[in-house]
Amino acid sequence: MSAREEGGLHAPAHASHSSAGHGHPAEHTPIFVGENRKKLDELLTRYPSKMAALLPALWIAQDAQGWVSEGAMAEIAGLLDLTPAYVKGVVTFYTMYHQHPVGRHFIQVCTTSPCGVCGAEDVARAFLKHTGCGELGVTSPDGKYTVIEVECLGACGFATPIMINDDFIESVTPERVPEILGTLK
């Protein structure tokens, strides 16, 4: 029996993250126009090469659309004189970039060994239950939440730490989950 069948926490093996359904990519709407292009142009003045601005350019794209699509990767590659494969390699290396749409509230639960010993899996289960996500990496039916587990949030002394979007919360227990979710808009 697999860990998922036994009730363990694992991302779904079959989750599809296509933005248009049926495996066909959605038409890309350019991101680096208007204000976003001004931001990128200003960033380029701070770096010794275009390539050096890749990470901040990815942040701009993710901020604009909530995730970094294949179209955004290709657009960034063209603007920074990089190959789309190079940009995708960077996006897939760093866990901070979303490669598919996520909920408005992106919840990361640390499940590294120290946090695991302190009940991190129970915290993750509580978030899955109270958000309606059901499984790690799946967005809730209302589009409000996505819950994932992460390897380390760098706060082993305050188990279990979580991040919701850019907000860090320490010492989370399953009992605190409803209260924490109640503070989100």
Side-chain angles (χ1 to χ4, degrees):
M1 187 179 291
S2 75
R4 183 183 6 256
E5 292 167 333
E6 293 177 14
L9 293 174
H10 299 284
H14 62 280
S16 170
H17 302 299
S18 170
S19 59
H22 307 296
H24 301 291
E27 186 175 320
H28 176 68
T29 302
I31 294 168
F32 292 93
V33 295
E35 196 60 38
N36 285 336
R37 182 57 192 245
K38 288 179 187 174
K39 286 180 191 176
L40 179 63
D41 290 342
E42 195 279 322
L43 272 173
L44 291 172
T45 67
R46 295 193 232 161
Y47 291 95
S49 69
K50 287 183 177 182
M51 178 191 280
L54 177 55
L55 297 180
L58 290 168
W59 277 118
I60 293 170
Q62 183 162 289
D63 188 53
Q65 66 182 21
W67 62 298
V68 183
S69 65
E70 295 283 336
M73 288 182 227
E75 182 181 358
I76 291 167
L79 291 167
L80 301 182
D81 298 330
L82 302 169
T83 66
Y86 183 85
V87 175
K88 184 168 186 148
V90 170
V91 170
T92 58
F93 178 79
Y94 290 106
T95 59
M96 62 195 173
Y97 298 115
H98 309 308
Q99 298 174 58
H100 55 83
V102 297
R104 186 167 17 119
H105 303 292
F106 187 70
I107 302 167
Q108 301 174 70
V109 180
C110 180
T111 57
T112 304
S113 297
C115 293
V117 170
C118 295
E121 286 201 7
D122 292 335
V123 171
R125 280 189 193 94
F127 274 108
L128 293 173
K129 175 185 172 191
H130 291 285
T131 60
C133 291
E135 291 183 73
L136 293 168
V138 175
T139 300
S140 62
D142 60 7
K144 288 174 70 173
Y145 308 102
T146 302
V147 180
I148 67 165
E149 61 182 9
V150 294
E151 281 305 310
C152 187
L153 289 175
C156 299
F158 304 98
T160 294
I162 66 165
M163 282 192 73
I164 300 178
N165 300 331
D166 295 327
D167 296 325
F168 182 83
I169 304 170
E170 58 192 36
S171 304
V172 177
T173 62
E175 296 76 26
R176 286 189 59 205
V177 168
E179 168 199 338
I180 292 167
L181 292 173
T183 65
L184 304 177
K185 295 182 187 334

